[in-house]
Amino acid sequence: MRLHDVMVSFQRPFRILAEVALVGLVVITAVDVIGRVVFSSPLGFAYELIGVLLGVAVYAGLIGMTWARDHIRIDLIADRLAAMPRFERVRAIFVWGLEVIFFTLLAVYVARQAVNLQRWHETFMFLPAQKWVPLAFFAFFATIAAISAVLSLFPSLKARQEDLK
């Protein structure tokens, strides 16, 4: 099995996790709104669960996004930069460096928050769980996103269009 195929297999569960979290967000929000408006009885835990699911969707999605180098582009700037092809390589290296630094700092910061919350045994108001648990997962996801950004440098590991389906 080629290393590229291993990367594709590794990315797939995180993509599925992000998709499931997004569907969960929609379903829980709909049930909460219907319960609140129609029955005057909202879900007590909806706010907290939506926050956790949003974090799962974002952080699990970061992993595939960094590996595929699938970023938000600002058309105004992208068009002007395209007129300067010599600058493209410098820009790509600069953006890559920012990604690695950002995701590394994000992983460290979220891990520190998880440790602090664990130390103080903070729990959710309605969910029967401690707050550090989802943050530990988010720190893990951010770490994998930083690693994915580093691995995206190697041409043999880069995502292809068919990998993203």
Side-chain angles (χ1 to χ4, degrees), residues 56-103:
V56 169
V58 167
Y59 284 96
L62 281 178
I63 296 167
M65 186 272 310
T66 55
W67 180 61
R69 311 287 296 154
D70 195 17
H71 303 286
I72 296 172
R73 299 187 192 276
I74 302 171
D75 292 339
L76 176 68
I77 297 171
D79 291 342
R80 291 189 179 164
L81 291 177
M84 299 181 284
R86 291 182 186 206
F87 183 69
E88 179 61 25
R89 185 166 172 82
V90 172
R91 184 207 54 82
I93 292 169
F94 179 73
V95 169
W96 175 83
L98 285 177
E99 284 178 18
V100 172
I101 291 168
F102 173 76
F103 291 127

mmCIF file of all heavy atoms in Angstrom, residues 56-103:
data_model
loop_
_atom_site.group_PDB
_atom_site.id
_atom_site.type_symbol
_atom_site.label_atom_id
_atom_site.label_comp_id
_atom_site.label_asym_id
_atom_site.label_seq_id
_atom_site.Cartn_x
_atom_site.Cartn_y
_atom_site.Cartn_z
ATOM 1 N N VAL A 56 -16.431 19.821 16.990
ATOM 2 C CA VAL A 56 -16.067 18.589 16.290
ATOM 3 C C VAL A 56 -16.056 18.825 14.778
ATOM 4 O O VAL A 56 -15.126 18.417 14.087
ATOM 5 C CB VAL A 56 -17.039 17.436 16.657
ATOM 6 C CG1 VAL A 56 -16.842 16.240 15.739
ATOM 7 C CG2 VAL A 56 -16.846 17.023 18.108
ATOM 8 N N ALA A 57 -17.097 19.493 14.274
ATOM 9 C CA ALA A 57 -17.178 19.743 12.829
ATOM 10 C C ALA A 57 -15.997 20.587 12.351
ATOM 11 O O ALA A 57 -15.383 20.286 11.327
ATOM 12 C CB ALA A 57 -18.499 20.425 12.486
ATOM 13 N N VAL A 58 -15.680 21.631 13.087
ATOM 14 C CA VAL A 58 -14.595 22.532 12.679
ATOM 15 C C VAL A 58 -13.238 21.841 12.782
ATOM 16 O O VAL A 58 -12.460 21.827 11.826
ATOM 17 C CB VAL A 58 -14.612 23.827 13.524
ATOM 18 C CG1 VAL A 58 -13.335 24.622 13.341
ATOM 19 C CG2 VAL A 58 -15.824 24.659 13.176
ATOM 20 N N TYR A 59 -12.950 21.250 13.933
ATOM 21 C CA TYR A 59 -11.625 20.679 14.132
ATOM 22 C C TYR A 59 -11.409 19.416 13.308
ATOM 23 O O TYR A 59 -10.315 19.192 12.781
ATOM 24 C CB TYR A 59 -11.367 20.416 15.615
ATOM 25 C CG TYR A 59 -11.062 21.680 16.369
ATOM 26 C CD1 TYR A 59 -12.049 22.365 17.063
ATOM 27 C CD2 TYR A 59 -9.783 22.205 16.365
ATOM 28 C CE1 TYR A 59 -11.774 23.534 17.739
ATOM 29 C CE2 TYR A 59 -9.491 23.374 17.040
ATOM 30 C CZ TYR A 59 -10.489 24.031 17.722
ATOM 31 O OH TYR A 59 -10.206 25.190 18.377
ATOM 32 N N ALA A 60 -12.419 18.569 13.162
ATOM 33 C CA ALA A 60 -12.271 17.380 12.311
ATOM 34 C C ALA A 60 -12.162 17.804 10.848
ATOM 35 O O ALA A 60 -11.428 17.187 10.071
ATOM 36 C CB ALA A 60 -13.441 16.426 12.511
ATOM 37 N N GLY A 61 -12.868 18.859 10.470
ATOM 38 C CA GLY A 61 -12.784 19.370 9.103
ATOM 39 C C GLY A 61 -11.444 20.004 8.783
ATOM 40 O O GLY A 61 -11.006 20.000 7.626
ATOM 41 N N LEU A 62 -10.770 20.551 9.783
ATOM 42 C CA LEU A 62 -9.455 21.166 9.562
ATOM 43 C C LEU A 62 -8.430 20.166 9.041
ATOM 44 O O LEU A 62 -7.550 20.517 8.260
ATOM 45 C CB LEU A 62 -8.917 21.759 10.868
ATOM 46 C CG LEU A 62 -9.451 23.088 11.324
ATOM 47 C CD1 LEU A 62 -8.829 23.477 12.654
ATOM 48 C CD2 LEU A 62 -9.213 24.163 10.299
ATOM 49 N N ILE A 63 -8.571 18.937 9.472
ATOM 50 C CA ILE A 63 -7.587 17.920 9.106
ATOM 51 C C ILE A 63 -7.583 17.711 7.594
ATOM 52 O O ILE A 63 -6.546 17.786 6.940
ATOM 53 C CB ILE A 63 -7.867 16.614 9.862
ATOM 54 C CG1 ILE A 63 -7.684 16.848 11.364
ATOM 55 C CG2 ILE A 63 -6.953 15.496 9.378
ATOM 56 C CD1 ILE A 63 -8.231 15.750 12.236
ATOM 57 N N GLY A 64 -8.746 17.470 7.034
ATOM 58 C CA GLY A 64 -8.831 17.274 5.590
ATOM 59 C C GLY A 64 -8.542 18.536 4.806
ATOM 60 O O GLY A 64 -7.939 18.501 3.733
ATOM 61 N N MET A 65 -8.969 19.670 5.350
ATOM 62 C CA MET A 65 -8.762 20.946 4.664
ATOM 63 C C MET A 65 -7.275 21.265 4.532
ATOM 64 O O MET A 65 -6.818 21.685 3.478
ATOM 65 C CB MET A 65 -9.471 22.067 5.439
ATOM 66 C CG MET A 65 -9.451 23.423 4.766
ATOM 67 S SD MET A 65 -8.027 24.498 5.093
ATOM 68 C CE MET A 65 -7.873 24.512 6.837
ATOM 69 N N THR A 66 -6.507 21.031 5.574
ATOM 70 C CA THR A 66 -5.076 21.348 5.496
ATOM 71 C C THR A 66 -4.352 20.365 4.587
ATOM 72 O O THR A 66 -3.434 20.751 3.860
ATOM 73 C CB THR A 66 -4.402 21.358 6.875
ATOM 74 O OG1 THR A 66 -4.631 20.112 7.525
ATOM 75 C CG2 THR A 66 -4.921 22.477 7.727
ATOM 76 N N TRP A 67 -4.750 19.105 4.612
ATOM 77 C CA TRP A 67 -4.097 18.118 3.756
ATOM 78 C C TRP A 67 -4.400 18.401 2.291
ATOM 79 O O TRP A 67 -3.532 18.301 1.432
ATOM 80 C CB TRP A 67 -4.544 16.715 4.142
ATOM 81 C CG TRP A 67 -3.926 15.645 3.309
ATOM 82 C CD1 TRP A 67 -2.589 15.363 3.190
ATOM 83 C CD2 TRP A 67 -4.610 14.716 2.484
ATOM 84 N NE1 TRP A 67 -2.406 14.303 2.340
ATOM 85 C CE2 TRP A 67 -3.632 13.881 1.890
ATOM 86 C CE3 TRP A 67 -5.937 14.491 2.194
ATOM 87 C CZ2 TRP A 67 -3.960 12.854 1.029
ATOM 88 C CZ3 TRP A 67 -6.259 13.457 1.337
ATOM 89 C CH2 TRP A 67 -5.274 12.658 0.767
ATOM 90 N N ALA A 68 -5.644 18.785 1.990
ATOM 91 C CA ALA A 68 -6.042 19.052 0.611
ATOM 92 C C ALA A 68 -5.648 20.455 0.158
ATOM 93 O O ALA A 68 -5.793 20.773 -1.015
ATOM 94 C CB ALA A 68 -7.552 18.876 0.470
ATOM 95 N N ARG A 69 -5.159 21.276 1.091
ATOM 96 C CA ARG A 69 -4.795 22.660 0.782
ATOM 97 C C ARG A 69 -6.004 23.387 0.194
ATOM 98 O O ARG A 69 -5.906 24.128 -0.765
ATOM 99 C CB ARG A 69 -3.622 22.717 -0.191
ATOM 100 C CG ARG A 69 -2.429 21.871 0.151
ATOM 101 C CD ARG A 69 -1.597 22.354 1.282
ATOM 102 N NE ARG A 69 -1.024 23.638 0.915
ATOM 103 C CZ ARG A 69 -0.669 24.547 1.801
ATOM 104 N NH1 ARG A 69 -0.814 24.289 3.065
ATOM 105 N NH2 ARG A 69 -0.174 25.685 1.432
ATOM 106 N N ASP A 70 -7.144 23.149 0.789
ATOM 107 C CA ASP A 70 -8.421 23.679 0.305
ATOM 108 C C ASP A 70 -8.810 24.865 1.184
ATOM 109 O O ASP A 70 -9.551 24.713 2.151
ATOM 110 C CB ASP A 70 -9.475 22.569 0.375
ATOM 111 C CG ASP A 70 -10.701 22.890 -0.420
ATOM 112 O OD1 ASP A 70 -10.637 23.795 -1.270
ATOM 113 O OD2 ASP A 70 -11.725 22.228 -0.193
ATOM 114 N N HIS A 71 -8.305 26.025 0.834
ATOM 115 C CA HIS A 71 -8.472 27.208 1.666
ATOM 116 C C HIS A 71 -9.504 28.160 1.100
ATOM 117 O O HIS A 71 -9.817 28.125 -0.081
ATOM 118 C CB HIS A 71 -7.143 27.972 1.779
ATOM 119 C CG HIS A 71 -6.044 27.130 2.304
ATOM 120 N ND1 HIS A 71 -5.960 26.779 3.614
ATOM 121 C CD2 HIS A 71 -4.988 26.554 1.682
ATOM 122 C CE1 HIS A 71 -4.891 26.019 3.793
ATOM 123 N NE2 HIS A 71 -4.294 25.862 2.636
ATOM 124 N N ILE A 72 -9.941 29.040 1.955
ATOM 125 C CA ILE A 72 -10.780 30.149 1.504
ATOM 126 C C ILE A 72 -9.853 31.135 0.801
ATOM 127 O O ILE A 72 -8.796 31.493 1.319
ATOM 128 C CB ILE A 72 -11.475 30.832 2.699
ATOM 129 C CG1 ILE A 72 -12.433 29.863 3.368
ATOM 130 C CG2 ILE A 72 -12.191 32.094 2.246
ATOM 131 C CD1 ILE A 72 -13.020 30.386 4.659
ATOM 132 N N ARG A 73 -10.245 31.548 -0.363
ATOM 133 C CA ARG A 73 -9.437 32.501 -1.118
ATOM 134 C C ARG A 73 -10.231 33.786 -1.305
ATOM 135 O O ARG A 73 -11.416 33.750 -1.594
ATOM 136 C CB ARG A 73 -9.066 31.923 -2.474
ATOM 137 C CG ARG A 73 -8.245 30.661 -2.349
ATOM 138 C CD ARG A 73 -7.761 30.217 -3.709
ATOM 139 N NE ARG A 73 -7.212 28.881 -3.656
ATOM 140 C CZ ARG A 73 -5.976 28.598 -3.296
ATOM 141 N NH1 ARG A 73 -5.163 29.539 -2.942
ATOM 142 N NH2 ARG A 73 -5.553 27.353 -3.285
ATOM 143 N N ILE A 74 -9.552 34.884 -1.157
ATOM 144 C CA ILE A 74 -10.181 36.185 -1.362
ATOM 145 C C ILE A 74 -9.943 36.561 -2.819
ATOM 146 O O ILE A 74 -8.807 36.780 -3.232
ATOM 147 C CB ILE A 74 -9.600 37.236 -0.399
ATOM 148 C CG1 ILE A 74 -9.807 36.778 1.041
ATOM 149 C CG2 ILE A 74 -10.240 38.594 -0.648
ATOM 150 C CD1 ILE A 74 -9.092 37.605 2.074
ATOM 151 N N ASP A 75 -11.021 36.609 -3.600
ATOM 152 C CA ASP A 75 -10.898 36.813 -5.045
ATOM 153 C C ASP A 75 -10.144 38.083 -5.404
ATOM 154 O O ASP A 75 -9.350 38.098 -6.332
ATOM 155 C CB ASP A 75 -12.278 36.845 -5.700
ATOM 156 C CG ASP A 75 -12.951 35.480 -5.651
ATOM 157 O OD1 ASP A 75 -12.229 34.485 -5.496
ATOM 158 O OD2 ASP A 75 -14.176 35.430 -5.772
ATOM 159 N N LEU A 76 -10.386 39.148 -4.692
ATOM 160 C CA LEU A 76 -9.737 40.417 -4.993
ATOM 161 C C LEU A 76 -8.223 40.277 -4.927
ATOM 162 O O LEU A 76 -7.497 40.715 -5.821
ATOM 163 C CB LEU A 76 -10.223 41.501 -4.017
ATOM 164 C CG LEU A 76 -9.563 42.867 -4.144
ATOM 165 C CD1 LEU A 76 -9.978 43.514 -5.462
ATOM 166 C CD2 LEU A 76 -9.955 43.741 -2.977
ATOM 167 N N ILE A 77 -7.739 39.625 -3.893
ATOM 168 C CA ILE A 77 -6.296 39.460 -3.717
ATOM 169 C C ILE A 77 -5.765 38.363 -4.636
ATOM 170 O O ILE A 77 -4.698 38.512 -5.228
ATOM 171 C CB ILE A 77 -5.968 39.153 -2.239
ATOM 172 C CG1 ILE A 77 -6.376 40.335 -1.356
ATOM 173 C CG2 ILE A 77 -4.496 38.842 -2.069
ATOM 174 C CD1 ILE A 77 -6.292 40.040 0.117
ATOM 175 N N ALA A 78 -6.494 37.257 -4.771
ATOM 176 C CA ALA A 78 -6.025 36.129 -5.589
ATOM 177 C C ALA A 78 -5.815 36.547 -7.041
ATOM 178 O O ALA A 78 -4.833 36.144 -7.674
ATOM 179 C CB ALA A 78 -7.014 34.976 -5.499
ATOM 180 N N ASP A 79 -6.723 37.335 -7.582
ATOM 181 C CA ASP A 79 -6.576 37.787 -8.969
ATOM 182 C C ASP A 79 -5.338 38.665 -9.146
ATOM 183 O O ASP A 79 -4.619 38.552 -10.134
ATOM 184 C CB ASP A 79 -7.824 38.551 -9.417
ATOM 185 C CG ASP A 79 -9.041 37.637 -9.549
ATOM 186 O OD1 ASP A 79 -8.841 36.410 -9.621
ATOM 187 O OD2 ASP A 79 -10.170 38.163 -9.554
ATOM 188 N N ARG A 80 -5.094 39.538 -8.205
ATOM 189 C CA ARG A 80 -3.909 40.412 -8.311
ATOM 190 C C ARG A 80 -2.617 39.622 -8.145
ATOM 191 O O ARG A 80 -1.623 39.911 -8.799
ATOM 192 C CB ARG A 80 -4.004 41.534 -7.281
ATOM 193 C CG ARG A 80 -5.117 42.493 -7.630
ATOM 194 C CD ARG A 80 -5.100 43.705 -6.788
ATOM 195 N NE ARG A 80 -6.189 44.581 -7.215
ATOM 196 C CZ ARG A 80 -6.637 45.557 -6.513
ATOM 197 N NH1 ARG A 80 -6.100 45.838 -5.345
ATOM 198 N NH2 ARG A 80 -7.623 46.303 -6.961
ATOM 199 N N LEU A 81 -2.644 38.633 -7.243
ATOM 200 C CA LEU A 81 -1.442 37.815 -7.061
ATOM 201 C C LEU A 81 -1.185 36.922 -8.269
ATOM 202 O O LEU A 81 -0.038 36.630 -8.588
ATOM 203 C CB LEU A 81 -1.573 36.964 -5.797
ATOM 204 C CG LEU A 81 -1.536 37.726 -4.477
ATOM 205 C CD1 LEU A 81 -1.738 36.773 -3.315
ATOM 206 C CD2 LEU A 81 -0.234 38.487 -4.316
ATOM 207 N N ALA A 82 -2.256 36.490 -8.946
ATOM 208 C CA ALA A 82 -2.085 35.656 -10.141
ATOM 209 C C ALA A 82 -1.356 36.407 -11.248
ATOM 210 O O ALA A 82 -0.706 35.796 -12.097
ATOM 211 C CB ALA A 82 -3.448 35.178 -10.631
ATOM 212 N N ALA A 83 -1.447 37.739 -11.230
ATOM 213 C CA ALA A 83 -0.749 38.550 -12.227
ATOM 214 C C ALA A 83 0.761 38.597 -11.968
ATOM 215 O O ALA A 83 1.519 39.070 -12.809
ATOM 216 C CB ALA A 83 -1.317 39.963 -12.244
ATOM 217 N N MET A 84 1.185 38.110 -10.813
ATOM 218 C CA MET A 84 2.607 38.094 -10.465
ATOM 219 C C MET A 84 3.056 36.652 -10.226
ATOM 220 O O MET A 84 3.178 36.217 -9.078
ATOM 221 C CB MET A 84 2.841 38.915 -9.200
ATOM 222 C CG MET A 84 2.455 40.370 -9.326
ATOM 223 S SD MET A 84 2.773 41.303 -7.819
ATOM 224 C CE MET A 84 1.420 40.785 -6.778
ATOM 225 N N PRO A 85 3.306 35.871 -11.266
ATOM 226 C CA PRO A 85 3.626 34.450 -11.088
ATOM 227 C C PRO A 85 4.923 34.206 -10.308
ATOM 228 O O PRO A 85 5.049 33.186 -9.651
ATOM 229 C CB PRO A 85 3.727 33.908 -12.518
ATOM 230 C CG PRO A 85 3.834 35.098 -13.396
ATOM 231 C CD PRO A 85 3.263 36.268 -12.668
ATOM 232 N N ARG A 86 5.838 35.129 -10.357
ATOM 233 C CA ARG A 86 7.091 34.957 -9.605
ATOM 234 C C ARG A 86 6.840 35.011 -8.099
ATOM 235 O O ARG A 86 7.564 34.416 -7.326
ATOM 236 C CB ARG A 86 8.106 36.026 -9.980
ATOM 237 C CG ARG A 86 8.628 35.873 -11.369
ATOM 238 C CD ARG A 86 9.645 36.928 -11.662
ATOM 239 N NE ARG A 86 10.038 36.854 -13.053
ATOM 240 C CZ ARG A 86 11.184 37.256 -13.496
ATOM 241 N NH1 ARG A 86 12.064 37.777 -12.679
ATOM 242 N NH2 ARG A 86 11.459 37.158 -14.769
ATOM 243 N N PHE A 87 5.813 35.730 -7.726
ATOM 244 C CA PHE A 87 5.479 35.876 -6.310
ATOM 245 C C PHE A 87 4.743 34.646 -5.772
ATOM 246 O O PHE A 87 4.682 34.437 -4.564
ATOM 247 C CB PHE A 87 4.620 37.134 -6.115
ATOM 248 C CG PHE A 87 4.281 37.426 -4.694
ATOM 249 C CD1 PHE A 87 5.249 37.825 -3.792
ATOM 250 C CD2 PHE A 87 2.978 37.283 -4.238
ATOM 251 C CE1 PHE A 87 4.941 38.081 -2.476
ATOM 252 C CE2 PHE A 87 2.651 37.543 -2.932
ATOM 253 C CZ PHE A 87 3.643 37.938 -2.042
ATOM 254 N N GLU A 88 4.209 33.813 -6.659
ATOM 255 C CA GLU A 88 3.378 32.669 -6.259
ATOM 256 C C GLU A 88 4.115 31.713 -5.322
ATOM 257 O O GLU A 88 3.573 31.272 -4.319
ATOM 258 C CB GLU A 88 2.891 31.920 -7.499
ATOM 259 C CG GLU A 88 2.040 30.706 -7.209
ATOM 260 C CD GLU A 88 0.757 31.022 -6.451
ATOM 261 O OE1 GLU A 88 0.261 32.155 -6.531
ATOM 262 O OE2 GLU A 88 0.254 30.122 -5.751
ATOM 263 N N ARG A 89 5.346 31.389 -5.631
ATOM 264 C CA ARG A 89 6.108 30.462 -4.793
ATOM 265 C C ARG A 89 6.365 31.050 -3.408
ATOM 266 O O ARG A 89 6.221 30.365 -2.410
ATOM 267 C CB ARG A 89 7.416 30.099 -5.481
ATOM 268 C CG ARG A 89 8.207 29.051 -4.754
ATOM 269 C CD ARG A 89 9.302 28.502 -5.659
ATOM 270 N NE ARG A 89 10.204 27.640 -4.972
ATOM 271 C CZ ARG A 89 9.973 26.363 -4.725
ATOM 272 N NH1 ARG A 89 8.870 25.806 -5.117
ATOM 273 N NH2 ARG A 89 10.876 25.628 -4.103
ATOM 274 N N VAL A 90 6.709 32.322 -3.358
ATOM 275 C CA VAL A 90 6.943 32.995 -2.071
ATOM 276 C C VAL A 90 5.654 33.007 -1.254
ATOM 277 O O VAL A 90 5.645 32.719 -0.061
ATOM 278 C CB VAL A 90 7.479 34.430 -2.290
ATOM 279 C CG1 VAL A 90 7.547 35.201 -0.985
ATOM 280 C CG2 VAL A 90 8.825 34.395 -2.976
ATOM 281 N N ARG A 91 4.538 33.329 -1.929
ATOM 282 C CA ARG A 91 3.251 33.362 -1.241
ATOM 283 C C ARG A 91 2.881 31.986 -0.698
ATOM 284 O O ARG A 91 2.447 31.846 0.427
ATOM 285 C CB ARG A 91 2.147 33.845 -2.187
ATOM 286 C CG ARG A 91 0.794 33.983 -1.488
ATOM 287 C CD ARG A 91 -0.379 33.807 -2.425
ATOM 288 N NE ARG A 91 -0.388 32.601 -3.201
ATOM 289 C CZ ARG A 91 -0.816 31.403 -2.755
ATOM 290 N NH1 ARG A 91 -1.240 31.269 -1.526
ATOM 291 N NH2 ARG A 91 -0.804 30.352 -3.540
ATOM 292 N N ALA A 92 3.091 30.951 -1.512
ATOM 293 C CA ALA A 92 2.749 29.591 -1.095
ATOM 294 C C ALA A 92 3.563 29.172 0.132
ATOM 295 O O ALA A 92 3.020 28.580 1.073
ATOM 296 C CB ALA A 92 2.964 28.617 -2.248
ATOM 297 N N ILE A 93 4.848 29.483 0.138
ATOM 298 C CA ILE A 93 5.698 29.139 1.282
ATOM 299 C C ILE A 93 5.278 29.928 2.514
ATOM 300 O O ILE A 93 5.204 29.382 3.621
ATOM 301 C CB ILE A 93 7.185 29.387 0.946
ATOM 302 C CG1 ILE A 93 7.648 28.382 -0.105
ATOM 303 C CG2 ILE A 93 8.059 29.321 2.188
ATOM 304 C CD1 ILE A 93 9.004 28.679 -0.700
ATOM 305 N N PHE A 94 4.972 31.208 2.339
ATOM 306 C CA PHE A 94 4.542 32.048 3.453
ATOM 307 C C PHE A 94 3.233 31.527 4.060
ATOM 308 O O PHE A 94 3.116 31.396 5.277
ATOM 309 C CB PHE A 94 4.376 33.496 2.972
ATOM 310 C CG PHE A 94 3.922 34.437 4.039
ATOM 311 C CD1 PHE A 94 4.785 34.833 5.053
ATOM 312 C CD2 PHE A 94 2.623 34.932 4.036
ATOM 313 C CE1 PHE A 94 4.363 35.695 6.045
ATOM 314 C CE2 PHE A 94 2.194 35.794 5.022
ATOM 315 C CZ PHE A 94 3.062 36.177 6.028
ATOM 316 N N VAL A 95 2.273 31.209 3.206
ATOM 317 C CA VAL A 95 0.980 30.700 3.687
ATOM 318 C C VAL A 95 1.169 29.357 4.377
ATOM 319 O O VAL A 95 0.587 29.104 5.432
ATOM 320 C CB VAL A 95 -0.035 30.593 2.523
ATOM 321 C CG1 VAL A 95 -1.272 29.827 2.931
ATOM 322 C CG2 VAL A 95 -0.413 31.985 2.040
ATOM 323 N N TRP A 96 1.987 28.489 3.805
ATOM 324 C CA TRP A 96 2.243 27.193 4.422
ATOM 325 C C TRP A 96 2.847 27.377 5.811
ATOM 326 O O TRP A 96 2.425 26.732 6.764
ATOM 327 C CB TRP A 96 3.172 26.364 3.534
ATOM 328 C CG TRP A 96 3.552 25.068 4.176
ATOM 329 C CD1 TRP A 96 2.830 23.907 4.181
ATOM 330 C CD2 TRP A 96 4.728 24.809 4.940
ATOM 331 N NE1 TRP A 96 3.486 22.943 4.897
ATOM 332 C CE2 TRP A 96 4.653 23.477 5.374
ATOM 333 C CE3 TRP A 96 5.831 25.579 5.301
ATOM 334 C CZ2 TRP A 96 5.650 22.889 6.153
ATOM 335 C CZ3 TRP A 96 6.814 24.994 6.068
ATOM 336 C CH2 TRP A 96 6.718 23.665 6.489
ATOM 337 N N GLY A 97 3.838 28.263 5.927
ATOM 338 C CA GLY A 97 4.455 28.524 7.233
ATOM 339 C C GLY A 97 3.452 29.051 8.245
ATOM 340 O O GLY A 97 3.455 28.635 9.411
ATOM 341 N N LEU A 98 2.585 29.963 7.811
ATOM 342 C CA LEU A 98 1.545 30.473 8.707
ATOM 343 C C LEU A 98 0.611 29.365 9.174
ATOM 344 O O LEU A 98 0.210 29.329 10.339
ATOM 345 C CB LEU A 98 0.736 31.577 8.020
ATOM 346 C CG LEU A 98 1.394 32.931 7.890
ATOM 347 C CD1 LEU A 98 0.477 33.888 7.130
ATOM 348 C CD2 LEU A 98 1.738 33.508 9.249
ATOM 349 N N GLU A 99 0.255 28.464 8.276
ATOM 350 C CA GLU A 99 -0.616 27.343 8.644
ATOM 351 C C GLU A 99 0.026 26.480 9.714
ATOM 352 O O GLU A 99 -0.620 26.129 10.703
ATOM 353 C CB GLU A 99 -0.901 26.465 7.430
ATOM 354 C CG GLU A 99 -1.873 27.019 6.467
ATOM 355 C CD GLU A 99 -2.025 26.086 5.280
ATOM 356 O OE1 GLU A 99 -1.653 24.895 5.363
ATOM 357 O OE2 GLU A 99 -2.531 26.558 4.262
ATOM 358 N N VAL A 100 1.260 26.106 9.487
ATOM 359 C CA VAL A 100 1.942 25.234 10.450
ATOM 360 C C VAL A 100 2.030 25.920 11.807
ATOM 361 O O VAL A 100 1.723 25.317 12.842
ATOM 362 C CB VAL A 100 3.344 24.838 9.934
ATOM 363 C CG1 VAL A 100 4.128 24.112 11.008
ATOM 364 C CG2 VAL A 100 3.221 23.976 8.684
ATOM 365 N N ILE A 101 2.411 27.190 11.818
ATOM 366 C CA ILE A 101 2.509 27.932 13.079
ATOM 367 C C ILE A 101 1.139 28.053 13.732
ATOM 368 O O ILE A 101 0.981 27.797 14.934
ATOM 369 C CB ILE A 101 3.134 29.324 12.844
ATOM 370 C CG1 ILE A 101 4.605 29.180 12.469
ATOM 371 C CG2 ILE A 101 2.971 30.207 14.067
ATOM 372 C CD1 ILE A 101 5.237 30.449 11.939
ATOM 373 N N PHE A 102 0.117 28.424 12.952
ATOM 374 C CA PHE A 102 -1.223 28.613 13.510
ATOM 375 C C PHE A 102 -1.773 27.322 14.110
ATOM 376 O O PHE A 102 -2.251 27.314 15.244
ATOM 377 C CB PHE A 102 -2.183 29.138 12.437
ATOM 378 C CG PHE A 102 -3.609 29.190 12.907
ATOM 379 C CD1 PHE A 102 -4.020 30.195 13.759
ATOM 380 C CD2 PHE A 102 -4.514 28.220 12.518
ATOM 381 C CE1 PHE A 102 -5.332 30.240 14.213
ATOM 382 C CE2 PHE A 102 -5.821 28.255 12.967
ATOM 383 C CZ PHE A 102 -6.240 29.268 13.824
ATOM 384 N N PHE A 103 -1.711 26.223 13.354
ATOM 385 C CA PHE A 103 -2.283 24.975 13.859
ATOM 386 C C PHE A 103 -1.495 24.420 15.036
ATOM 387 O O PHE A 103 -2.062 23.804 15.936
ATOM 388 C CB PHE A 103 -2.416 23.948 12.738
ATOM 389 C CG PHE A 103 -3.463 24.321 11.740
ATOM 390 C CD1 PHE A 103 -3.163 24.361 10.392
ATOM 391 C CD2 PHE A 103 -4.747 24.662 12.134
ATOM 392 C CE1 PHE A 103 -4.121 24.715 9.461
ATOM 393 C CE2 PHE A 103 -5.715 25.017 11.211
ATOM 394 C CZ PHE A 103 -5.398 25.049 9.874
#
